[in-house]
Amino acid sequence: MKFELNTLPRDSSDAEIIAEIRRVASVVGKKFLTTTDFDLHSKIHSSTIRRRFGGWQQVLDKAGIGEKYSGVKISDKMRSQQAKNLTDDEILNELKRIAKELNRDYITQEDVNNNSEIMAASAVVYRFGTWLKGLEKAGLKKSTQYRIKFSEDELFENILNVWTHHGRQPFYSEMEKAPSTISPGTYEYRFGSWRKALEAFVEKMNQEDSNEKVIENKPIIQEKNEAKREKTINNNIKSGEIRSINLSLRYKVLSRDNFRCVRCGRSPATNPGVELHIDHKQPFSKQGKTTMENLETKCKECNLGKSNRHIE
Ligand SMILES: [Zn+2]
């Protein structure tokens, strides 16, 4: 008699896993294929393949048996609406249930969005103030995803982009949406809270501009795929004599100009799509200095049109 392991390894190919899902579906033979029934017969745990494909609904879709999904197919928005009727305990119990089902002591917002049929992750933020507070109340840990390393410059650069976009200090919830490219949880993980991240940002912005790392002058609002930046370190040159404008100086110029174009008055906050640049009044090529006095905020259009439309 030949013994075989009754499990599929975690690193099985998608094709092997899909074959297994179909096999189990026919063994179970019911109208719907639930994770409970699946795990009774399968050689691989539902949580493993759920992680791989993004959710149970996606697993069944992938196997071509999407009609066997028993959950209600609803959007995040509908789930957010629904969550308003849930008690705090119901929300926390849902977090615990998902963690248990995934067999982990931490969960991500994506896990909630993929596995909950009664609420979206935003419901947790809405109810408890921050995602991490919700996790804490549910007795769960922070996800390892927040341990992804961003440099301090990248974290602050992202805050400045969002700050410029709204023309004011951004709220926690705004860090979850474009143009932010770093989650608020990352800031909480690094600084302890969103408030403390803002304090660190402002402290950095208040520093003098001498001999700091500088970032190339570029549009304030960036596309995601433009996120890679060239950075140079100028240790031997006075800041006024280098062309690039460091983060702190950009913040100061933008704040002084109220996050608006000094020519036409438009801002990203009031005119979506407006892109702000920091421009040298006296061009750098003509001995203009990189200083507060010689810098101003302009929208892309006014900046590009300066050679003919704004002759002084
Ligand atoms: Zn303008």
Side-chain angles (χ1 to χ4, degrees):
M1 192 176 172
K2 190 175 165 225
F3 288 96
E4 270 181 46
L5 280 177
N6 196 30
T7 54
L8 272 179
R10 274 167 181 259
D11 59 359
S12 302
S13 70
D14 285 5
E16 286 172 293
I17 289 177
I18 286 167
E20 175 66 3
I21 297 163
R22 293 190 180 138
R23 185 189 69 80
V24 174
S26 76
V27 169
V28 172
K30 292 185 189 168
K31 186 176 177 216
F32 297 119
L33 182 58
T34 64
T35 51
T36 314
D37 279 342
F38 182 85
D39 289 333
L40 282 175
H41 301 276
S42 174
K43 294 178 185 174
I44 189 162
H45 199 265
S46 60
S47 63
T48 307
I49 52 182
R50 212 199 279 243
R51 266 201 296 280
R52 181 179 303 199
F53 295 128
W56 192 240
Q57 190 179 326
Q58 286 86 338
V59 167
L60 297 179
D61 282 343
K62 197 103 182 167
I65 50 171
E67 77 282 358
K68 287 191 179 288
Y69 180 66
S70 63
V72 188
K73 299 183 189 188
I74 48 174
S75 68
D76 282 358
K77 197 181 170 190
M78 286 167 71
R79 285 189 293 182
S80 292
Q81 291 294 321
Q82 215 172 335
K84 285 181 187 153
N85 301 321
L86 298 176
T87 66
D88 288 4
D89 278 346
E90 281 169 332
I91 291 178
L92 296 174
N93 285 335
E94 179 68 351
L95 294 179
K96 290 181 209 164
R97 180 194 70 78
I98 293 166
K100 199 177 170 197
E101 198 160 289
L102 297 176
N103 199 22
R104 293 207 229 107
D105 59 0
Y106 70 90
I107 53 172
T108 66
Q109 298 198 33
E110 205 187 357
D111 290 330
V112 173
N113 292 335
N114 285 334
N115 294 289
S116 177
E117 272 135 33
I118 61 168
M119 67 189 201
S122 55
V124 176
V125 178
Y126 183 80
R127 185 67 58 94
F128 300 106
T130 71
W131 168 247
L132 290 188
K133 274 188 195 148
L135 279 190
E136 208 174 285
K137 279 193 189 289
L140 297 167
K141 290 184 183 165
K142 297 172 187 176
S143 152
T144 49
Q145 80 176 17
Y146 299 132
R147 288 164 211 172
I148 295 167
K149 287 285 176 207
F150 287 100
S151 71
E152 197 178 73
D153 276 353
E154 287 171 318
L155 292 167
F156 288 161
E157 174 87 19
N158 185 53
I159 292 181
L160 181 56
N161 285 343
V162 181
W163 196 304
T164 303
H165 181 76
H166 295 287
R168 55 162 171 74
Q169 180 183 310
F171 294 112
Y172 178 94
S173 60
E174 288 164 343
M175 300 309 287
E176 289 174 337
K177 302 172 201 139
S180 174
T181 54
I182 302 175
S183 75
T186 304
Y187 289 93
E188 289 180 282
Y189 182 78
R190 183 70 70 88
F191 297 96
S193 71
W194 173 234
R195 176 86 216 162
K196 284 184 182 148
L198 284 172
E199 283 168 5
F201 172 80
V202 171
E203 192 185 322
K204 171 90 175 181
M205 294 309 108
N206 287 333
Q207 281 172 10
E208 288 309 313
D209 315 314
S210 58
N211 301 340
E212 285 185 278
K213 275 185 192 174
V214 294
I215 295 169
E216 288 298 306
N217 186 13
K218 64 186 304 301
I220 303 301
I221 305 300
Q222 320 160 340
E223 296 300 320
K224 260 188 185 172
N225 54 7
E226 267 182 43
K228 284 185 191 166
R229 286 178 302 283
E230 265 187 52
K231 289 182 192 173
T232 43
I233 299 170
N234 292 272
N235 286 324
N236 306 316
I237 318 169
K238 281 185 195 162
S239 61
E241 287 161 18
I242 47 177
R243 187 190 179 107
S244 29
I245 307 162
N246 71 34
L247 202 63
S248 152
L249 192 51
R250 277 202 278 145
Y251 175 79
K252 285 172 187 155
V253 173
L254 284 161
S255 294
R256 183 199 61 201
D257 297 340
N258 294 313
F259 299 91
R260 290 162 179 275
C261 172
V262 296
R263 298 299 166 100
C264 68
R266 294 186 306 156
S267 71
T270 51
N271 300 73
V274 165
E275 215 176 73
L276 296 180
H277 295 244
I278 308 292
D279 189 42
H280 287 79
K281 291 189 213 171
Q282 166 88 7
F284 187 75
S285 57
K286 293 180 180 157
Q287 280 70 54
K289 292 268 195 290
T290 303
T291 55
M292 277 287 273
E293 300 70 45
N294 192 45
L295 295 170
E296 61 184 359
T297 307
K298 279 195 212 155
C299 73
K300 191 178 170 188
E301 288 70 27
C302 291
N303 193 27
L304 294 176
K306 66 182 172 180
S307 56
N308 45 40
R309 280 200 286 137
H310 299 290
I311 299 164
E312 286 168 329

